[in-house]
């Protein structure tokens, strides 16, 4: 598959209201958090092009945001 000029491998392909399509590719770092919700699911995606930030720096920047979510 191709996404914005990058070649990758499909990770999750769905249908329904979101028609989601997520892929992994060598030039990027993708983290998906899957949550069960009301008989369905919710996906939170944190994605980065590693030429902008190395993966470890991207995780350090985004983890505090992810930790702040409250799913009660």
């Amino acid at each position: 598959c191709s996404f914005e000029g990058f070649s990758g491998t499909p990770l999750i392909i769905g249908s329904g209201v979101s028609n989601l399509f997520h892929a992994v590719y060598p030039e990027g770092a993708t983290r998906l958090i899957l949550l069960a919700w009301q008989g369905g699911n919710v996906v939170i995606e944190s994605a980065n092009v590693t030429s902008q930030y190395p993966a470890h720096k991207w995780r350090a920047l985004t983890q505090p945001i992810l930790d702040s979510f409250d799913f009660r």
Side-chain angles (χ1 to χ4, degrees), residues 1-69:
C1 71
S2 179
F3 177 74
E4 296 185 10
F6 297 107
S7 295
T9 302
L11 175 63
I12 295 177
I13 300 172
S15 61
V17 297
S18 66
N19 292 316
L20 63 95
F21 180 88
H22 299 276
V24 292
Y25 48 97
E27 300 86 0
T30 302
R31 180 179 178 190
L32 298 178
I33 300 166
L34 305 172
L35 304 168
W37 183 66
Q38 296 184 358
N41 59 52
V42 173
V43 177
I44 298 171
E45 177 179 348
S46 174
N48 173 50
V49 176
T50 54
S51 63
Q52 294 174 341
Y53 292 98
H56 70 282
K57 286 187 178 182
W58 183 251
R59 284 190 303 273
L61 288 168
T62 59
Q63 191 60 49
I65 297 166
L66 298 172
D67 288 343
S68 73
F69 294 160

